[in-house]
Amino acid sequence: MRTALAVIAGIVLLTLAYFLLWPVPVDPVAWDPPPNAGYTGAHATNQRLATLERVAVPELTGPEDLVQSPEGTLYTTSHEGVIARMEPGSDGFTPWVTLEGRPLGIDWDASADRLVVADAYEGLYAVGRDGTVTELATEADGIPIRYADDVVAASDGRLYFSDASTKFGAHEHGGTYEASLLDIMEHGGHGRILVYDPTTQVTTTLVDGLEFANGVALNPAETVLYVAETGMYRILAIPLSGSRKGAKDVFIDNLPGFPDNLSRGQDGRIWVGLVSSRRAIVDQIAPSPFVRRIIQRLPRFTRPEATRYGHVVAIDALGRVVADLQDPSGSFARTTGALEVGETLWISSLHEPDLGRLNGWQSTLR
């Protein structure tokens, strides 16, 4: 009997030691999230996204971002490293170029000669019309770019892009999704916004200290850069010149989900994809680094994960919600962004094998 009790006591002590002392990759920082209003007000639950049409990206998954070329060709990225495109008049995507890493955000440069790619594994790259791939930036201010996330090109040639986390690189931490969970769990301010100057070919830091820097978009005058700060449930408006250059002004905050990509639509509105609803448990443990360390020691399947909920939102220049489209069923989920193409709204996703296509969405504008 004594031997059995000793064994049980030993197991209990080892278990306690594991949950209290086992090393984890995160060093959580305490913070107080804003109260979650949930799906109320401008974000009242609706089914407006549930009727979208699926458009397959054959043999590819996770069409994270979309952009249209001047001549009307649509381009999208994938987990497999493939950039696929759909020519005008076609109804399907075909592979175009394969990169070595995980391409996320894309945009055409000012001359529309090159597709600029934020590759989460490799850095900032450009792809010429002939498919030639050119490295643009792999470090900024002496710090490696570990998680290039989204990019937007200004008319003067500058490229503004996000390095989501300088600590939890997408490649070395098991992928973009896995690394994002670690960065958000730690809440250590490792995100930054970088600027690539094509004249000097030098990349510098515009803003740092962000909680998972994600989508980027410019206002029509290109005086302000909008940035999705995923770990804070908000979008920032960053002045690009003058005495307040680099200030972190809040454009819209306390969103009901985690904001991902940004894109500019007609009339200057900004579209944002909410990749997941907020999780009550994530907010509850935010003030307690101790609890978050323990949770990180639990088996992966028991830790907080992104929810399956489809949601894209359009915001006007004053930070007001002017369109809110949801799919609570999660049939098309992990929505990363939206792109206006004429009368059609295209929806991208973190994990889906398809893109979403929605017509008639204009009737929801406020």
Side-chain angles (χ1 to χ4, degrees), residues 176-264:
T176 55
Y177 178 62
E178 292 76 10
S180 70
L181 294 178
L182 290 173
D183 191 88
I184 291 170
M185 179 65 78
E186 176 161 308
H187 206 84
H190 304 300
R192 56 181 179 164
I193 299 299
L194 308 177
V195 187
Y196 173 81
D197 187 326
T199 302
T200 63
Q201 299 184 5
V202 172
T203 301
T204 54
T205 303
L206 174 66
V207 173
D208 58 11
L210 300 179
E211 300 299 342
F212 201 80
N214 207 324
V216 291
L218 289 162
N219 71 335
E222 299 188 356
T223 57
V224 170
L225 181 73
Y226 299 112
V227 177
E229 192 175 16
T230 304
M232 293 291 288
Y233 313 124
R234 68 185 183 182
I235 298 172
L236 301 176
I238 299 174
L240 296 178
S241 61
S243 60
R244 301 192 67 255
K245 179 180 179 180
K248 302 174 186 177
D249 297 331
V250 176
F251 180 53
I252 185 170
D253 63 357
N254 205 13
L255 291 164
F258 293 88
D260 202 306
N261 292 342
L262 303 181
S263 70
R264 193 172 76 211

Side-chain angles (χ1 to χ4, degrees), residues 62 64-65 77-81 83 99-106 116-125 137-139 144-151 161-180 192 194 212-214 260-261 350:
E64 165 83 14
D65 196 18
T77 54
S78 70
H79 277 297
E80 292 76 12
I83 298 175
L99 302 184
E100 294 184 4
R102 174 32 168 143
L104 294 176
I106 49 178
V116 185
V117 184
D119 188 314
Y121 293 178
E122 304 293 333
L124 188 68
Y125 281 73
T138 58
E139 66 87 28
I145 298 169
R146 292 192 169 93
Y147 197 142
D149 198 314
D150 197 15
V151 60
F161 65 107
S162 52
D163 186 9
S165 178
T166 56
K167 179 175 181 179
F168 299 104
H171 196 203
E172 54 265 44
H173 286 90
T176 55
Y177 178 62
E178 292 76 10
S180 70
R192 56 181 179 164
L194 308 177
F212 201 80
N214 207 324
D260 202 306
N261 292 342
L350 184 67

Side-chain angles (χ1 to χ4, degrees), residues 30-357:
W31 71 291
D32 294 312
N36 181 14
Y39 295 101
T40 61
H43 304 295
T45 303
N46 62 76
Q47 308 286 332
R48 294 171 185 144
L49 204 61
T51 59
L52 62 73
E53 172 192 3
R54 286 177 174 267
V55 179
V57 187
E59 300 181 5
L60 301 176
T61 55
E64 165 83 14
D65 196 18
L66 278 160
V67 71
Q68 186 181 39
S69 69
E71 65 275 11
T73 300
L74 280 175
Y75 292 78
T76 190
T77 54
S78 70
H79 277 297
E80 292 76 12
V82 176
I83 298 175
R85 63 184 179 182
M86 185 172 75
E87 305 281 357
S90 172
D91 198 36
F93 282 84
T94 57
W96 177 47
V97 171
T98 302
L99 302 184
E100 294 184 4
R102 174 32 168 143
L104 294 176
I106 49 178
D107 197 16
W108 286 98
D109 68 7
S111 65
D113 289 330
R114 300 191 299 178
L115 185 70
V116 185
V117 184
D119 188 314
Y121 293 178
E122 304 293 333
L124 188 68
Y125 281 73
V127 184
R129 293 277 185 165
D130 62 355
T132 301
V133 179
T134 304
E135 177 188 291
L136 299 182
T138 58
E139 66 87 28
D141 300 318
I143 301 172
I145 298 169
R146 292 192 169 93
Y147 197 142
D149 198 314
D150 197 15
V151 60
V152 64
S155 58
D156 64 4
R158 288 185 173 88
L159 304 175
Y160 296 90
F161 65 107
S162 52
D163 186 9
S165 178
T166 56
K167 179 175 181 179
F168 299 104
H171 196 203
E172 54 265 44
H173 286 90
T176 55
Y177 178 62
E178 292 76 10
S180 70
L181 294 178
L182 290 173
D183 191 88
I184 291 170
M185 179 65 78
E186 176 161 308
H187 206 84
H190 304 300
R192 56 181 179 164
I193 299 299
L194 308 177
V195 187
Y196 173 81
D197 187 326
T199 302
T200 63
Q201 299 184 5
V202 172
T203 301
T204 54
T205 303
L206 174 66
V207 173
D208 58 11
L210 300 179
E211 300 299 342
F212 201 80
N214 207 324
V216 291
L218 289 162
N219 71 335
E222 299 188 356
T223 57
V224 170
L225 181 73
Y226 299 112
V227 177
E229 192 175 16
T230 304
M232 293 291 288
Y233 313 124
R234 68 185 183 182
I235 298 172
L236 301 176
I238 299 174
L240 296 178
S241 61
S243 60
R244 301 192 67 255
K245 179 180 179 180
K248 302 174 186 177
D249 297 331
V250 176
F251 180 53
I252 185 170
D253 63 357
N254 205 13
L255 291 164
F258 293 88
D260 202 306
N261 292 342
L262 303 181
S263 70
R264 193 172 76 211
Q266 298 177 35
D267 301 322
R269 56 180 164 261
I270 298 297
W271 285 96
V272 55
L274 300 180
V275 74
S276 169
S277 304
R278 287 173 63 169
R279 298 289 306 275
I281 181 63
V282 173
D283 287 351
Q284 290 164 2
I285 64 176
S288 176
F290 175 75
V291 172
R292 281 145 66 197
R293 286 193 191 93
I294 290 178
I295 287 178
Q296 198 60 39
R297 296 181 180 111
L298 295 172
R300 168 67 184 274
F301 71 90
T302 65
R303 300 177 205 158
E305 296 270 350
T307 58
R308 288 195 60 83
Y309 197 104
H311 198 178
V312 296
V313 175
I315 306 158
D316 71 9
L318 298 178
R320 299 174 301 196
V321 174
V322 294
D324 186 283
L325 292 75
Q326 302 176 30
D327 178 8
S329 73
S331 60
F332 190 95
R334 310 280 169 85
T335 39
T336 53
L339 177 70
E340 287 185 37
V341 178
E343 300 298 310
T344 300
L345 189 68
W346 287 86
I347 314 296
S348 54
S349 169
L350 184 67
H351 291 148
E352 296 285 347
D354 310 316
L355 287 162
R357 182 166 58 188

